[in-house]
Coordinates of all heavy atoms in Angstrom, one line a residue:
N1 N 0.9 -1.2 0.0 CA 0.0 0.0 0.0 C 0.9 1.2 0.0 O 1.4 1.7 1.0 CB -0.9 0.0 1.2 CG -2.0 1.0 1.1 OD1 -1.9 2.0 0.3 ND2 -3.0 0.9 1.9
S2 N 1.1 1.8 -1.2 CA 2.0 3.0 -1.3 C 1.2 4.3 -1.2 O 1.8 5.4 -1.1 CB 2.8 2.9 -2.6 OG 1.9 2.9 -3.7
K3 N -0.1 4.2 -1.3 CA -0.9 5.5 -1.3 C -1.6 5.8 0.0 O -2.2 6.9 0.2 CB -2.0 5.3 -2.4 CG -1.5 5.2 -3.8 CD -2.6 5.1 -4.8 CE -2.1 4.9 -6.2 NZ -3.2 4.8 -7.2
G4 N -1.4 5.0 1.0 CA -2.0 5.2 2.3 C -3.5 5.2 2.4 O -4.1 5.8 3.2
L5 N -4.1 4.4 1.5 CA -5.6 4.3 1.5 C -6.0 3.0 2.2 O -5.2 2.1 2.5 CB -6.1 4.2 0.0 CG -5.7 5.4 -0.9 CD1 -6.2 5.1 -2.3 CD2 -6.3 6.7 -0.3
F6 N -7.3 2.9 2.6 CA -7.7 1.7 3.3 C -7.7 0.6 2.3 O -8.3 0.7 1.2 CB -9.2 1.9 3.8 CG -9.3 2.8 5.0 CD1 -9.9 4.0 5.0 CD2 -8.7 2.4 6.2 CE1 -10.0 4.8 6.1 CE2 -8.8 3.1 7.3 CZ -9.4 4.4 7.3
Q7 N -7.1 -0.5 2.7 CA -7.1 -1.8 1.9 C -7.4 -2.9 2.9 O -7.0 -2.9 4.0 CB -5.8 -2.0 1.2 CG -5.5 -1.0 0.1 CD -4.3 -1.3 -0.7 OE1 -3.4 -2.1 -0.3 NE2 -4.1 -0.6 -1.8
V8 N -8.0 -4.0 2.3 CA -8.3 -5.1 3.1 C -7.5 -6.3 2.6 O -7.5 -6.7 1.4 CB -9.8 -5.5 2.9 CG1 -10.1 -6.8 3.7 CG2 -10.7 -4.4 3.4
V9 N -6.8 -6.9 3.5 CA -6.0 -8.2 3.3 C -6.9 -9.3 3.8 O -7.3 -9.3 5.0 CB -4.7 -8.1 3.9 CG1 -3.9 -9.4 3.7 CG2 -3.9 -7.0 3.5
S10 N -7.2 -10.3 2.9 CA -8.0 -11.4 3.4 C -7.4 -12.7 3.0 O -6.6 -12.8 2.0 CB -9.4 -11.3 2.7 OG -9.3 -11.3 1.3
G11 N -7.8 -13.7 3.7 CA -7.3 -15.1 3.4 C -8.2 -16.1 4.0 O -9.0 -15.8 5.0
G12 N -8.1 -17.4 3.6 CA -8.9 -18.5 4.2 C -8.3 -19.8 3.8 O -7.5 -19.9 2.9
T13 N -8.6 -20.8 4.6 CA -8.1 -22.1 4.4 C -8.9 -23.2 5.1 O -9.7 -22.8 6.1 CB -6.6 -22.3 4.8 OG1 -6.1 -23.6 4.4 CG2 -6.5 -22.1 6.3
V14 N -8.8 -24.4 4.7 CA -9.5 -25.6 5.4 C -8.4 -26.4 6.1 O -7.4 -26.8 5.4 CB -10.3 -26.4 4.4 CG1 -10.8 -27.7 5.2 CG2 -11.4 -25.6 3.8
L15 N -8.5 -26.7 7.4 CA -7.5 -27.4 8.1 C -8.2 -28.6 8.8 O -9.3 -28.5 9.3 CB -6.9 -26.5 9.2 CG -6.1 -25.3 8.7 CD1 -5.6 -24.5 9.9 CD2 -4.9 -25.8 7.8
Q16 N -7.5 -29.7 8.9 CA -7.9 -30.9 9.6 C -7.3 -30.8 11.0 O -6.0 -30.8 11.1 CB -7.5 -32.2 9.0 CG -8.0 -33.4 9.7 CD -7.6 -34.7 9.1 OE1 -6.8 -34.7 8.2 NE2 -8.1 -35.8 9.6
L17 N -8.1 -30.8 12.0 CA -7.6 -30.6 13.4 C -7.9 -31.7 14.3 O -8.9 -32.4 14.1 CB -8.1 -29.3 14.0 CG -7.9 -28.0 13.2 CD1 -8.6 -26.8 13.9 CD2 -6.4 -27.7 13.1
Q18 N -7.1 -31.9 15.3 CA -7.3 -32.9 16.3 C -7.6 -32.2 17.6 O -7.4 -31.0 17.7 CB -6.1 -33.9 16.5 CG -5.7 -34.6 15.2 CD -6.8 -35.6 14.8 OE1 -7.5 -36.1 15.6 NE2 -6.9 -35.8 13.5
H19 N -8.0 -32.9 18.6 CA -8.3 -32.3 19.9 C -7.1 -31.6 20.5 O -6.0 -32.2 20.6 CB -8.8 -33.4 20.9 CG -9.3 -32.9 22.2 ND1 -8.5 -32.6 23.2 CD2 -10.6 -32.5 22.6 CE1 -9.2 -32.1 24.2 NE2 -10.5 -32.1 23.8
G20 N -7.3 -30.4 20.9 CA -6.2 -29.6 21.5 C -5.4 -28.8 20.5 O -4.6 -27.9 20.9
D21 N -5.5 -29.0 19.2 CA -4.8 -28.2 18.2 C -5.3 -26.7 18.3 O -6.5 -26.4 18.6 CB -5.1 -28.7 16.8 CG -4.4 -30.1 16.6 OD1 -3.6 -30.5 17.5 OD2 -4.6 -30.7 15.5
Q22 N -4.5 -25.8 17.9 CA -4.8 -24.3 17.9 C -4.6 -23.7 16.6 O -3.7 -24.1 15.8 CB -3.9 -23.6 19.0 CG -4.2 -24.2 20.4 CD -3.4 -23.4 21.4 OE1 -2.9 -22.3 21.2 NE2 -3.3 -24.0 22.6
V23 N -5.3 -22.6 16.3 CA -5.2 -21.8 15.1 C -5.3 -20.4 15.5 O -6.1 -20.0 16.3 CB -6.3 -22.2 14.1 CG1 -6.2 -21.3 12.8 CG2 -6.3 -23.7 13.7
W24 N -4.5 -19.5 14.8 CA -4.5 -18.1 15.1 C -3.9 -17.3 13.9 O -3.3 -17.9 13.0 CB -3.7 -17.8 16.4 CG -2.2 -18.0 16.3 CD1 -1.2 -17.1 16.0 CD2 -1.5 -19.3 16.5 NE1 0.0 -17.7 16.0 CE2 -0.2 -19.1 16.3 CE3 -2.0 -20.6 16.9 CZ2 0.8 -20.1 16.5 CZ3 -1.0 -21.6 17.0 CH2 0.3 -21.3 16.8
I25 N -4.0 -16.0 13.9 CA -3.5 -15.1 12.9 C -2.2 -14.5 13.4 O -2.2 -13.9 14.6 CB -4.5 -14.1 12.4 CG1 -5.8 -14.7 12.0 CG2 -3.9 -13.2 11.3 CD1 -5.7 -15.7 10.8
E26 N -1.1 -14.4 12.6 CA 0.1 -13.8 13.1 C 0.6 -12.8 12.0 O 0.5 -13.1 10.8 CB 1.2 -14.9 13.3 CG 2.4 -14.5 14.1 CD 3.2 -15.6 14.6 OE1 2.7 -16.5 15.3 OE2 4.4 -15.7 14.1
K27 N 1.1 -11.7 12.5 CA 1.6 -10.6 11.6 C 3.1 -10.6 11.5 O 3.8 -11.1 12.4 CB 1.1 -9.3 12.1 CG 1.6 -8.9 13.4 CD 1.0 -7.6 13.9 CE 1.6 -7.2 15.3 NZ 1.0 -5.9 15.8
D28 N 3.6 -10.1 10.3 CA 5.0 -10.0 10.1 C 5.6 -8.9 11.1 O 4.9 -7.8 11.2 CB 5.3 -9.6 8.7 CG 6.8 -9.6 8.4 OD1 7.4 -8.5 8.5 OD2 7.3 -10.6 8.0
P29 N 6.7 -9.1 11.7 CA 7.2 -8.1 12.7 C 7.5 -6.7 12.0 O 7.4 -5.7 12.7 CB 8.5 -8.8 13.2 CG 8.4 -10.2 13.0 CD 7.5 -10.3 11.7
T30 N 7.9 -6.7 10.8 CA 8.2 -5.4 10.1 C 7.0 -4.9 9.2 O 7.0 -3.7 8.9 CB 9.5 -5.6 9.3 OG1 9.3 -6.6 8.3 CG2 10.6 -6.0 10.1
K31 N 6.2 -5.8 8.8 CA 5.0 -5.4 8.0 C 3.8 -6.0 8.6 O 3.1 -6.9 8.0 CB 5.2 -5.9 6.5 CG 6.4 -5.4 5.8 CD 6.5 -6.0 4.4 CE 7.7 -5.4 3.7 NZ 7.8 -6.0 2.3
G32 N 3.4 -5.4 9.7 CA 2.2 -6.0 10.4 C 1.3 -4.9 11.0 O 0.6 -5.2 12.0
R33 N 1.4 -3.7 10.5 CA 0.6 -2.6 11.1 C -0.8 -2.7 10.6 O -1.1 -2.7 9.5 CB 1.2 -1.2 10.7 CG 0.6 -0.1 11.5 CD 1.3 1.2 11.1 NE 0.7 2.4 11.8 CZ 1.1 3.6 11.6 NH1 2.1 3.9 10.8 NH2 0.4 4.6 12.2
I34 N -1.8 -2.8 11.6 CA -3.2 -2.9 11.3 C -3.9 -1.7 11.7 O -3.6 -1.1 12.8 CB -3.8 -4.2 12.1 CG1 -3.0 -5.4 11.6 CG2 -5.2 -4.3 11.8 CD1 -3.4 -6.7 12.4
Y35 N -4.9 -1.3 10.9 CA -5.6 0.0 11.2 C -6.5 -0.3 12.4 O -7.1 -1.3 12.6 CB -6.5 0.4 10.0 CG -7.4 1.5 10.3 CD1 -7.0 2.8 10.4 CD2 -8.8 1.2 10.6 CE1 -7.9 3.8 10.7 CE2 -9.7 2.3 10.9 CZ -9.2 3.6 10.9 OH -10.1 4.6 11.2
Q36 N -6.6 0.7 13.3 CA -7.4 0.6 14.5 C -8.2 1.9 14.6 O -7.7 3.0 14.8 CB -6.5 0.5 15.8 CG -7.3 0.2 17.0 CD -7.9 -1.2 17.0 OE1 -7.2 -2.1 16.5 NE2 -9.1 -1.3 17.5
G37 N -9.5 1.8 14.3 CA -10.4 2.9 14.3 C -11.9 2.5 14.1 O -12.2 1.4 14.0
S38 N -12.8 3.6 14.2 CA -14.2 3.3 14.0 C -14.7 3.2 12.6 O -15.8 2.8 12.4 CB -15.0 4.4 14.8 OG -14.7 5.7 14.2
E39 N -13.8 3.5 11.6 CA -14.3 3.5 10.3 C -14.4 2.1 9.7 O -15.2 1.9 8.8 CB -13.3 4.3 9.4 CG -13.3 5.8 9.6 CD -12.4 6.2 10.7 OE1 -11.8 5.3 11.4 OE2 -12.1 7.4 11.0
A40 N -13.5 1.2 10.1 CA -13.5 -0.2 9.6 C -13.1 -1.2 10.6 O -12.3 -0.8 11.5 CB -12.6 -0.2 8.3
D41 N -13.6 -2.4 10.5 CA -13.2 -3.5 11.4 C -12.5 -4.6 10.7 O -12.7 -4.9 9.5 CB -14.5 -4.1 12.0 CG -15.2 -3.1 13.0 OD1 -14.5 -2.4 13.8 OD2 -16.5 -3.1 13.0
S42 N -11.6 -5.2 11.5 CA -10.9 -6.4 11.0 C -11.6 -7.6 11.8 O -11.9 -7.5 13.0 CB -9.4 -6.4 11.4 OG -8.8 -5.3 10.7

């Protein structure tokens, strides 16, 4: 995003899980800034 406009990054997948397995979203340490405000939700 070089113009500083609102953009949406999306993704999805199907996983086979066993009891106790965990799933979460993780951001890149250098490229992981997420917008925080009332205009849009993640």
Side-chain angles (χ1 to χ4, degrees):
N1 191 341
S2 60
K3 297 182 180 181
L5 302 176
F6 285 115
Q7 290 186 347
V8 176
V9 179
S10 62
T13 185
V14 174
L15 297 176
Q16 182 183 9
L17 303 179
Q18 301 296 328
H19 187 275
D21 293 351
Q22 299 183 14
V23 178
W24 67 94
I25 306 299
E26 194 167 299
K27 61 184 180 181
D28 185 271
T30 59
K31 297 180 179 181
R33 188 175 177 183
I34 300 174
Y35 172 78
Q36 189 68 38
S38 59
E39 292 87 350
D41 290 320
S42 298

